[in-house]
Amino acid sequence: MSQTTEVSLLRDKVFMYFLLARTVAVLGSAITSVALPLLVFQVTSSPLITSLVTAVQVLPYLVFGLVAGAMADRLPRRRLMLACQAVSAAALLTVPLASWLGGLTAPHAVAVAAVVATSFVWFDAASFGALPALVGRARIVPANSMVWTVTTLVGLGGPVVGGVLVAAVGAAPALSFDAASYVVAGALLALIGRSFDAPGARAEGQPRERLRTGIKEGLQFVWQHPVVRSLTLLGVGNSITGGAVSALLVVFAVRDLGLSEDGGGVGLVVGIVAAGAFLAAVALPRLTSRVPIGWITIATLTTSPLALLLTAAAPSLPWATVPLLLWSLTSTLTILNGINARQIVTPLELQARVNTTARMLAWGGTPLGALAGGLLAEAASARFAYAVMSTAVLVSAVLAWRSPLRHRAFATTNHPASEPAG
């Protein structure tokens, strides 16, 4: 990103409010990423039930993604985002309340994860379109880079903070901090004076017809744009493997690496994964300025299964740190590279539909990976599950090497070959 563009974004009060809101929300979510699965594992001691937390966090995207994307391009995005923040805060607060009353159960905690995840689908759909509308298409790449860099940097310390909170007050009460973060983030979004919506986003016609047309337009763009289509389909293997890794991270840390259930050690492991995501956010702008987008995805998909196999073979945390960091780096680069490409080539009025459609398809494997990983860990160990589930991203890597993305001309977003058909 150029220094001039970076300075202009830092001086843009609207963007800074948006960035601060996302940062606060990510900090709260990082705490929950430690507290919620650990809470379920403490209550059940079951890898399979613990993996359900990850599964239900992605499943709503498959159910509501298309509808949310179409509606977010037509509804007032600010109101939609604020409503989602309020619902998430209220749902999270029920966990410490139930714990205080002595009635907390694992199904309750999993249900809360599902509610928060469902709210995120609608928030995410609106956010995809809101950022380009707030900063303009010319600044979307540096704006994305700053958002990813700052929020992933916060994500580095967030899991450690979460581990400390869990150790100090318990897993259930720690979730109240995430609830508070949603309230603060919502207040910051409410302070933004600029419109979150693309000009002319309110289409004419009957609501059902508009919804059906909106969904169709999003699907058509993803399928007809060869770069977007390739990156989306190849992301499925990455999401299957990622679902297993994320779902079993607590189990892997406690049972296979021998860390304590008190939260501190688990927070450190989650922090390593966050560190990989941070490095990906920092590296992506530099990579995209030098390497074709398709080549980045081929390289990350090829490296990811090897990194996970090395993680599975690690006997202790010191041995697992570097390969787990590398897995997170490559997995996150695959995801961010796809998002970046979509936001560059997608018209403003289609941003929510295209991005939620593509994310729904690419993330579709996450619940499958989480449940398959949980079953494998229940039967053997999380270490064994990681080794087996690395094959999913390996398949994507093989397909990527055989895909048109290997050709330089195809592997960019500004070449005529990457324009959508008709």
Side-chain angles (χ1 to χ4, degrees):
M1 110 185 47
S2 71
Q3 186 174 3
T4 301
T5 304
E6 183 177 311
V7 170
S8 71
L9 285 170
L10 291 174
R11 291 177 177 175
D12 187 337
K13 184 184 296 185
V14 165
F15 173 72
M16 293 307 295
Y17 276 139
F18 185 90
L19 177 61
L20 186 56
R22 297 294 293 138
T23 302
V24 170
V26 167
L27 177 59
S29 297
I31 294 172
T32 295
S33 70
V34 175
L36 192 56
L38 187 56
L39 174 65
V40 174
F41 188 61
Q42 288 173 344
V43 172
T44 66
S45 298
S46 168
L48 178 58
I49 297 177
T50 303
S51 70
L52 288 176
V53 175
T54 296
V56 301
Q57 285 176 332
V58 179
L59 191 59
Y61 231 108
L62 305 184
V63 178
F64 301 111
L66 291 176
V67 175
M71 294 185 67
D73 276 331
R74 287 163 169 76
L75 294 173
R77 288 175 181 151
R78 187 206 308 271
R79 294 181 188 175
L80 181 58
M81 293 169 74
L82 292 177
C84 292
Q85 301 288 74
V87 169
S88 296
L92 282 167
L93 282 175
T94 67
V95 176
L97 179 60
S99 178
W100 180 64
L101 294 174
L104 180 63
T105 63
H108 180 180
V110 172
V112 167
V115 171
V116 174
T118 301
S119 294
F120 174 74
V121 176
W122 300 87
F123 180 91
D124 200 40
S127 181
F128 271 128
L131 185 57
L134 290 172
V135 304
R137 290 173 64 89
R139 298 192 297 174
I140 187 59
V141 174
N144 268 329
S145 177
M146 289 185 69
V147 171
W148 292 334
T149 301
V150 173
T151 55
T152 50
L153 181 60
V154 170
L156 284 173
V160 178
V161 173
V164 172
L165 282 173
V166 170
V169 301
L175 294 177
S176 61
F177 289 86
D178 192 11
S181 76
Y182 280 111
V183 175
V184 174
L188 289 167
L189 291 176
L191 292 174
I192 295 177
R194 197 174 299 165
S195 174
F196 284 42
D197 305 314
R202 309 290 173 256
E204 298 298 328
Q206 296 300 317
R208 184 173 298 179
E209 293 176 0
R210 295 202 306 267
L211 182 60
R212 187 182 301 115
T213 300
I215 293 173
K216 182 179 179 181
E217 289 172 350
L219 286 168
Q220 284 181 333
F221 188 93
V222 171
W223 184 250
Q224 292 174 355
H225 198 294
V227 173
V228 174
R229 181 179 66 243
S230 297
L231 294 175
T232 299
L233 295 178
L234 291 171
V236 174
N238 187 58
S239 72
I240 292 175
T241 299
V245 176
S246 301
L248 295 172
L249 204 56
V250 168
V251 181
F252 179 66
V254 173
R255 288 193 174 175
D256 295 276
L257 298 182
L259 302 178
S260 172
E261 287 188 28
D262 66 4
V266 175
L268 183 59
V269 172
V270 177
I272 292 170
V273 174
F278 169 72
L279 293 176
V282 172
L284 186 61
R286 293 166 176 79
L287 286 173
T288 53
S289 66
R290 296 173 175 84
V291 183
I293 283 175
W295 291 8
I296 295 173
T297 293
I298 290 174
T300 56
L301 290 174
T302 302
T303 308
S304 186
L306 176 61
L308 186 55
L309 284 172
L310 291 173
T311 301
S316 60
L317 180 58
W319 287 95
T321 298
V322 173
L324 184 59
L325 183 74
L326 181 59
W327 172 82
S328 177
L329 169 66
T330 54
S331 178
T332 306
L333 272 174
T334 301
I335 296 169
L336 296 186
N337 191 46
I339 294 174
N340 210 41
R342 291 195 300 268
Q343 288 194 310
I344 290 173
V345 302
T346 303
L348 271 180
E349 66 275 9
L350 289 174
Q351 284 282 340
R353 278 167 282 176
V354 168
N355 280 287
T356 51
T357 298
R359 178 169 282 193
M360 183 196 73
L361 296 173
W363 279 13
T366 302
L368 175 63
L371 293 176
L375 288 170
L376 290 168
E378 195 83 41
S381 66
R383 191 187 304 280
F384 175 73
Y386 279 7
V388 173
M389 296 307 295
S390 67
T391 57
V393 71
L394 179 61
V395 170
S396 281
V398 172
L399 294 175
W401 278 104
R402 297 175 61 87
S403 76
L405 288 180
R406 70 185 187 277
H407 302 304
R408 174 181 285 274
F410 186 90
T412 61
T413 56
N414 57 2
H415 189 273
S418 69
E419 292 300 321

